[in-house]
Every structure is written in C-alpha cells, then in structure tokens.
Amino acid sequence: MGGDGWTRPARARRPLRTGLVLGGLTMALCLVGVAGLGTWNVQVVTGASGPVRDTADGFFREVAAGDVDQAYQRLCAQARSRWSEVGFAGWVRTPPLVSGYEIVDVSVRTKAGRPVGEVTVRVTRDGGAAEERRLPVVKEDGEWRVCGDPY
C-alpha cells in the first residue's frame, strides 16, 4: 500500500455569498430597530397628548380665575427666568383680562428625541374679543410645563 492516503479536496471560498448574508442580517437588524423606534415614538406622542392638554387647561383655568401664583408654577424654567412672579402677575392682570378659553387643538411631536407639545387655545378677553394663541408645552423634570410667552 502506498503512502498516499485519500485527502479531501479543498473547498472553494465564497466571500461574496458570506458578504451578502452578513449584509442581509445587518439590514434586517436595522429595519427591526427602525420599526421599534417608530413604535416607541408613536407611543410617546400618543400618550403625551392628554397630559399636554391637561397642562394647558390647568394653566388657562388658573389665569381666567385670577390664580396667578398657581399659573406661574406651571411655567417652564426658561419662561420663569424671563418673568418674575410679580412681572408675570402684572402681565396677566393687565386689561383686557382673560375671561375664558377653549382648547382648539393639541399636537405632540418629538424634537431631538424629546416630546414637545403645542396647544392651540382660543382665548376670550373681557369685552368679548377672542384670539387664537399657540401655547408651547415641554416636559421638564418629569412634568409638562408651559413654555414661551403663553398669551
């Protein structure tokens, strides 16, 4: 018997097929991640519209009732840095006063991964004049707060 034993032939390498399989797996993972992010975004936006509405409703209820101190507490830090409590109270109590309001629309979106709300409010003032205002609402320290110049 000779010294030459049977050897298995070398398998041909298939780098193209391996690359396509890895690329397909990567694409599938990306699609799952995008779908998950989209679902999370929809849940955040949908779940936030109620609290955003409640924040605007509470703010204008307090303003219309003359409870300026409570309304001031609903302002975000940026708005409170522009308005002192005394300045805010003077601004709210300047005629024509807010006598009523109606929430017309609530929208919530994400901006830089954070939920941001905007509430359209029809504000009625003494004498019957009405105007629509857009009220920005942001989440700050776990609570929704009125931001910007509220009216």
Side-chain angles (χ1 to χ4, degrees):
M1 299 216 171
D4 289 345
W6 182 80
T7 61
R8 185 177 188 179
R11 286 177 51 175
R13 294 184 160 242
R14 301 196 195 290
L16 181 60
R17 183 170 29 173
T18 303
L20 288 175
V21 168
L22 289 176
L25 287 173
T26 302
M27 179 66 79
L29 284 174
C30 287
L31 290 175
V32 167
V34 167
L37 183 60
T39 301
W40 174 82
N41 193 23
V42 167
Q43 288 173 346
V44 165
V45 167
T46 304
S49 63
V52 167
R53 175 184 287 276
D54 293 344
T55 298
D57 184 48
F59 177 80
F60 274 102
R61 186 177 338 106
E62 291 158 357
V63 166
D67 192 356
V68 180
D69 295 335
Q70 287 297 321
Y72 184 81
Q73 296 308 312
R74 290 186 189 266
L75 295 177
C76 71
Q78 180 186 14
R80 285 191 307 245
S81 72
R82 286 195 316 261
W83 292 95
S84 68
E85 284 189 62
V86 172
F88 180 74
W91 183 48
V92 169
R93 292 180 178 137
T94 301
L97 301 176
V98 172
S99 59
Y101 66 96
E102 176 189 359
I103 295 177
V104 177
D105 186 40
V106 176
S107 66
V108 181
R109 61 186 169 80
T110 55
K111 183 177 180 180
R114 297 180 61 193
V116 177
E118 184 176 81
V119 179
T120 304
V121 181
R122 182 172 293 116
V123 178
T124 307
R125 298 190 183 267
D126 289 342
E131 62 183 290
E132 278 195 10
R133 302 293 299 181
R134 296 196 188 283
L135 185 72
V137 181
V138 299
K139 196 158 196 179
E140 187 176 87
D141 299 327
E143 293 185 37
W144 288 98
R145 302 221 179 252
V146 173
C147 217
D149 288 334
Y151 75 96

